[in-house]
Each structure stands twice: as structure tokens, then as C-alpha cells.
Amino acid sequence: MIRIFSIVCSCAGRDGATARFSDMAAGMITERAAETGETVEYECITADTVNLSFCRSCNNCFNKGGCPLDNVDDMAKIKEKLISADVIFFCSPVYIGTMSGFAKSLMDRITYYSHRFEFAGKTAVVLVTTSNNHGNATVNDIKKMLQFMGASVAYAGCAYRNGGEPNIYLPDQMAPELYRLAESVLESLNSPEKYIEKWQEQSFMYRNKMNKVAKKFSEIVGIQLTDEMRVCIERGHGNYKTLTDYVLSMKSGEKE
Ligand SMILES: Cc1cc2nc3c(=O)[nH]c(=O)nc-3n(C[C@H](O)[C@H](O)[C@H](O)COP(=O)(O)O)c2cc1C
């Protein structure tokens, strides 16, 4: 079974254009997966149903792991769903040229995932809607953030309400895009390494180098490592030359 978790960062809710894009994408993946006897479980949460606080810049997530705000809002629940999904949909409308405030606040709260490569081996999809403009810039911003967290971004695209193609309300324009999306997602589930970009490798190698030096230093002077360093070391990131090798080792572990 393929578990898709979609977070729709719009308070227009399930009737909004962005949730509509998410539902259409999940529908096409379900249809294509069924052709090979695979089933899909799809859960979609929209911003209007979530209580989300702003990051307070306490640095607890980097240094000690976890966030004190997880106890006061819905973030613990969202994180659990993100972590247990096979496919993450990150969906946002364009607001004044970029992602919605909710989308950015959510990203702020999981920034530390980027230092831990928390989404390594996971397939991610970016879905953006806009009236007329700034679709591509917004898609690319969100895509970069998810890639920074280690994800294999199989599809990242924008649908338009007015001035561009594909128009979210015109099925004929959406169909080829959705088809391409589903094909990429299904391919990425089998071969996530195909969607790892070169700069993600560089980021992985840089972190590993830093963690190695920090570990040596902490042993010599007897200071504690930050939680994010401890997590990367415990997960054995440093044993792999590339993020691709790490992701492939996760996949082979799954099969055993
Ligand atoms: C506060 C706000 C700002 C917006 N800014 C832009 C914009 O800069 N460019 C644009 O083309 N559309 C803009 N839009 C339109 C939305 O991106 C578009 O209607 C989107 O599909 C809404 O998705 P939703 O129904 O899921 O909320 C804006 C809408 C709102 C409410």
C-alpha cells in the first residue's frame, strides 16, 4: 500500500483550488497504481483545520531535538504523518508572489529536518495554485526546501485559475500533467535515487564532513554533540559516500 499524506497550506480548505489539485493528483496516482494491483491510502489536511504556531527561534530542534511548541499546537500530529508517509504532497497557493504564510511557518518548524536529511528516501510532490503569476518561483522555493530535507521530489508543478496553463478547472488541460505526475511518483517509489539532484549530494557530503569533525572534537574536549549531529551519526550517514548510497541502503533494508 502506498501512503500519501497531503498538507494543503490554504485556509480555503477542501473546497479551495489547492486542495482540488491535491485530490486530482491523488486520484490519478490511485488509478495508475491500481493497474499493477497496488492500493493507495490518501490523507489530506488543510490549513483551516490546523493550529500552527510560529517558530520562536529557540534553536531547541537543532540542539536538543524536538520543539517545545509541539506540545501546544498540532505540529506533533503533522510531523508524525509526514514521517510515516511514503509520499508527501506539499501544497500551497501563491500569496503575493510566494508560498502562503502557513506554508512558510510549517517549513520554519521543520527546518531542522534539513540538517538530518529526515526525508531521505521519501518521495515528495509540490503542488501550487495561483491566479496568474509567480507559480514557478513558488514551486521552486518549496521544491528546494524539501530537497534540502533529503526528499526525492518526483514532481513539482503549478496549476492556474486564470492566466496560465494548465487551468485547474479544465480537465483536458490537467490530464496530461496529472498523468506525468503519477508516472514520476510511481517511478520514484521504486527508484527514489533517480530524483536526487547533484546539489543534494554536495549538501549531504558537507554535513557528513562537519559531523565527523564535530565528533572528533567532542571526544577530545568532552563536550556534547548537538542532537542533529547525534542523529546523523547514529543513522550512519557518514558511512555513505553519497545520499544516493544512503537512500539505496534504506531501500535494500526495507526488502530484507
Ligand atoms: C492573500 C492572497 C494573495 C494572492 N496573491 C497572488 C499573487 O501574487 N499572484 C497570483 O497570481 N495570485 C494570487 N492570489 C490568488 C491565489 O494564488 C489563487 O486564487 C489560489 O489558487 C488560491 O488557492 P486556494 O483556493 O487553495 O486558497 C492570491 C490570493 C490571496 C488570497
Coordinates of all heavy atoms in Angstrom, one line a residue, residues 8-13 15-20 92-98 128-135 159-162 168-169, ligand 1:
V8 N -2.2 20.8 2.8 CA -2.6 21.9 1.9 C -2.6 23.2 2.7 O -3.4 23.4 3.6 CB -4.0 21.6 1.3 CG1 -4.6 22.8 0.6 CG2 -4.0 20.3 0.4
C9 N -1.7 24.0 2.3 CA -1.4 25.2 3.1 C -2.3 26.4 2.7 O -1.8 27.5 2.4 CB 0.1 25.6 3.0 SG 1.2 24.2 3.5
S10 N -3.6 26.1 2.7 CA -4.6 27.2 2.4 C -5.8 27.0 3.3 O -6.2 25.9 3.5 CB -5.0 27.1 0.9 OG -6.2 27.8 0.7
C11 N -6.2 28.2 3.8 CA -7.4 28.2 4.6 C -8.7 28.1 3.8 O -9.8 28.1 4.4 CB -7.4 29.4 5.6 SG -6.2 29.1 7.0
A12 N -8.6 28.1 2.5 CA -9.8 27.8 1.7 C -10.3 26.4 1.9 O -11.4 26.1 1.5 CB -9.5 28.1 0.2
G13 N -9.5 25.6 2.5 CA -9.9 24.2 2.8 C -10.1 23.3 1.7 O -9.5 23.5 0.6
D15 N -12.5 22.9 -0.3 CA -13.2 23.5 -1.5 C -12.3 24.4 -2.3 O -12.6 24.9 -3.3 CB -14.4 24.3 -1.0 CG -15.5 23.5 -0.4 OD1 -15.6 22.3 -0.7 OD2 -16.2 24.0 0.5
G16 N -11.1 24.7 -1.8 CA -10.1 25.5 -2.5 C -9.5 24.9 -3.7 O -9.5 23.7 -3.8
A17 N -8.8 25.7 -4.5 CA -8.2 25.3 -5.7 C -7.0 24.3 -5.3 O -6.8 23.4 -6.1 CB -7.7 26.5 -6.5
T18 N -6.3 24.6 -4.3 CA -5.1 23.9 -4.0 C -5.4 22.5 -3.5 O -4.8 21.5 -3.9 CB -4.2 24.6 -2.9 OG1 -4.1 26.0 -3.3 CG2 -2.8 24.1 -2.8
A19 N -6.5 22.4 -2.7 CA -6.9 21.0 -2.2 C -7.4 20.2 -3.4 O -7.3 19.0 -3.5 CB -8.0 21.2 -1.2
R20 N -8.1 21.0 -4.3 CA -8.6 20.3 -5.6 C -7.4 19.7 -6.4 O -7.5 18.6 -6.8 CB -9.3 21.4 -6.4 CG -10.0 20.9 -7.7 CD -10.5 22.1 -8.4 NE -11.0 21.7 -9.7 CZ -12.2 21.4 -10.0 NH1 -13.1 21.4 -9.0 NH2 -12.6 21.0 -11.2
S92 N 0.6 24.5 -1.8 CA 0.4 25.9 -1.4 C -0.2 26.8 -2.5 O 0.2 26.6 -3.7 CB 1.7 26.5 -0.9 OG 1.5 27.9 -0.6
P93 N -1.1 27.7 -2.1 CA -1.4 28.7 -3.1 C -0.3 29.8 -3.2 O 0.5 29.9 -2.2 CB -2.7 29.3 -2.5 CG -2.6 29.1 -1.0 CD -1.8 27.9 -0.8
V94 N -0.3 30.6 -4.2 CA 0.6 31.7 -4.3 C -0.1 32.9 -3.6 O -1.2 33.2 -3.9 CB 1.0 32.1 -5.7 CG1 1.7 33.5 -5.8 CG2 1.8 31.0 -6.4
Y95 N 0.6 33.5 -2.6 CA 0.2 34.7 -1.9 C 1.2 35.7 -2.1 O 2.4 35.5 -1.7 CB -0.1 34.4 -0.4 CG -1.3 33.7 -0.1 CD1 -1.6 33.3 1.2 CD2 -2.3 33.3 -1.0 CE1 -2.7 32.6 1.6 CE2 -3.4 32.6 -0.7 CZ -3.6 32.2 0.6 OH -4.7 31.5 1.0
I96 N 0.9 36.8 -2.7 CA 1.8 37.9 -3.0 C 3.2 37.4 -3.5 O 4.2 37.8 -2.9 CB 1.8 39.0 -1.9 CG1 2.6 40.2 -2.4 CG2 2.3 38.5 -0.5 CD1 2.2 41.5 -1.7
G97 N 3.1 36.6 -4.5 CA 4.3 36.2 -5.2 C 5.1 35.0 -4.6 O 6.1 34.6 -5.1
T98 N 4.6 34.4 -3.5 CA 5.3 33.3 -2.9 C 4.4 32.4 -2.2 O 3.2 32.5 -2.4 CB 6.5 33.8 -2.0 OG1 7.2 32.7 -1.5 CG2 5.9 34.6 -0.8
V128 N 1.2 23.7 -6.5 CA 1.0 25.1 -6.3 C -0.2 25.5 -7.1 O -0.3 25.0 -8.3 CB 2.3 25.9 -6.6 CG1 2.0 27.4 -6.7 CG2 3.3 25.6 -5.5
T129 N -1.0 26.4 -6.6 CA -2.0 27.0 -7.5 C -1.9 28.5 -7.4 O -1.4 29.1 -6.3 CB -3.5 26.6 -7.2 OG1 -3.8 27.2 -5.9 CG2 -3.7 25.1 -7.2
T130 N -2.2 29.2 -8.4 CA -2.1 30.7 -8.5 C -3.2 31.2 -9.5 O -3.7 30.4 -10.3 CB -0.7 31.1 -8.9 OG1 -0.7 32.5 -9.0 CG2 -0.3 30.6 -10.3
S131 N -3.5 32.5 -9.3 CA -4.4 33.1 -10.3 C -3.7 33.2 -11.6 O -4.1 32.7 -12.7 CB -4.9 34.4 -9.8 OG -5.9 34.2 -8.8
N132 N -2.6 34.0 -11.6 CA -1.9 34.3 -12.9 C -0.4 34.1 -12.8 O 0.2 33.8 -13.8 CB -2.1 35.8 -13.2 CG -3.6 36.1 -13.3 OD1 -4.2 35.6 -14.2 ND2 -4.1 36.9 -12.4
N133 N 0.3 34.4 -11.7 CA 1.7 34.6 -11.8 C 2.4 34.0 -10.5 O 1.8 33.6 -9.6 CB 2.1 36.0 -12.0 CG 1.4 36.9 -10.9 OD1 1.3 36.6 -9.8 ND2 0.9 38.1 -11.4
H134 N 3.8 34.0 -10.7 CA 4.7 33.6 -9.6 C 4.5 32.1 -9.2 O 5.0 31.6 -8.2 CB 4.6 34.4 -8.3 CG 5.0 35.9 -8.6 ND1 6.3 36.2 -8.8 CD2 4.2 37.0 -8.7 CE1 6.3 37.5 -9.0 NE2 5.1 38.0 -9.0
G135 N 3.9 31.3 -10.1 CA 3.7 29.9 -9.9 C 5.1 29.2 -9.9 O 5.4 28.4 -8.9
A159 N -0.7 24.9 -11.1 CA -1.9 25.0 -11.9 C -2.5 26.4 -11.7 O -2.3 27.0 -10.7 CB -2.9 23.9 -11.4
Y160 N -3.1 26.9 -12.8 CA -3.5 28.3 -12.8 C -5.1 28.3 -12.7 O -5.8 27.4 -13.2 CB -3.0 29.0 -14.1 CG -1.5 29.1 -14.1 CD1 -0.7 28.0 -14.5 CD2 -0.9 30.2 -13.7 CE1 0.6 28.1 -14.5 CE2 0.5 30.3 -13.7 CZ 1.2 29.2 -14.1 OH 2.6 29.3 -14.1
R161 N -5.6 29.4 -12.2 CA -7.0 29.7 -12.2 C -7.4 30.5 -13.4 O -8.5 30.3 -14.0 CB -7.5 30.4 -10.9 CG -7.2 29.7 -9.7 CD -7.6 30.5 -8.5 NE -9.0 30.2 -8.2 CZ -9.5 29.9 -7.0 NH1 -8.7 29.8 -6.0 NH2 -10.8 29.7 -6.9
N162 N -6.6 31.5 -13.7 CA -7.0 32.4 -14.8 C -6.0 32.4 -16.0 O -6.3 31.9 -17.0 CB -7.0 33.9 -14.3 CG -8.0 34.0 -13.1 OD1 -9.0 33.2 -13.0 ND2 -7.7 34.9 -12.2
I168 N -6.7 24.8 -13.6 CA -7.1 23.9 -12.6 C -8.6 23.4 -12.8 O -9.0 22.3 -12.4 CB -6.9 24.4 -11.1 CG1 -7.2 23.4 -10.0 CG2 -7.8 25.7 -10.9 CD1 -6.1 22.4 -9.8
Y169 N -9.4 24.3 -13.5 CA -10.8 23.9 -13.7 C -11.0 23.3 -15.1 O -12.2 23.0 -15.4 CB -11.7 25.2 -13.5 CG -11.5 25.8 -12.1 CD1 -11.0 27.0 -12.0 CD2 -11.9 25.0 -11.0 CE1 -10.8 27.6 -10.7 CE2 -11.7 25.6 -9.7 CZ -11.2 26.8 -9.6 OH -11.0 27.3 -8.3
Ligands
LIG1 C1 -3.8 36.9 0.0 C2 -3.7 36.4 -1.4 C3 -2.6 36.7 -2.2 C4 -2.6 36.3 -3.5 N1 -1.5 36.6 -4.3 C5 -1.4 36.2 -5.6 C6 -0.4 36.6 -6.4 O1 0.6 37.2 -6.0 N2 -0.4 36.2 -7.7 C7 -1.4 35.5 -8.3 O2 -1.4 35.2 -9.4 N3 -2.5 35.1 -7.5 C8 -2.5 35.4 -6.2 N4 -3.6 35.0 -5.4 C9 -4.5 34.1 -5.9 C10 -4.3 32.6 -5.4 O3 -3.0 32.2 -5.6 C11 -5.2 31.6 -6.1 O4 -6.5 32.0 -6.1 C12 -5.0 30.2 -5.5 O5 -5.5 29.3 -6.4 C13 -5.8 30.1 -4.2 O6 -5.8 28.8 -3.8 P1 -6.9 28.2 -2.7 O7 -8.2 28.3 -3.3 O8 -6.5 26.9 -2.4 O9 -6.7 29.2 -1.5 C14 -3.6 35.5 -4.1 C15 -4.7 35.2 -3.2 C16 -4.8 35.6 -1.9 C17 -6.0 35.2 -1.1

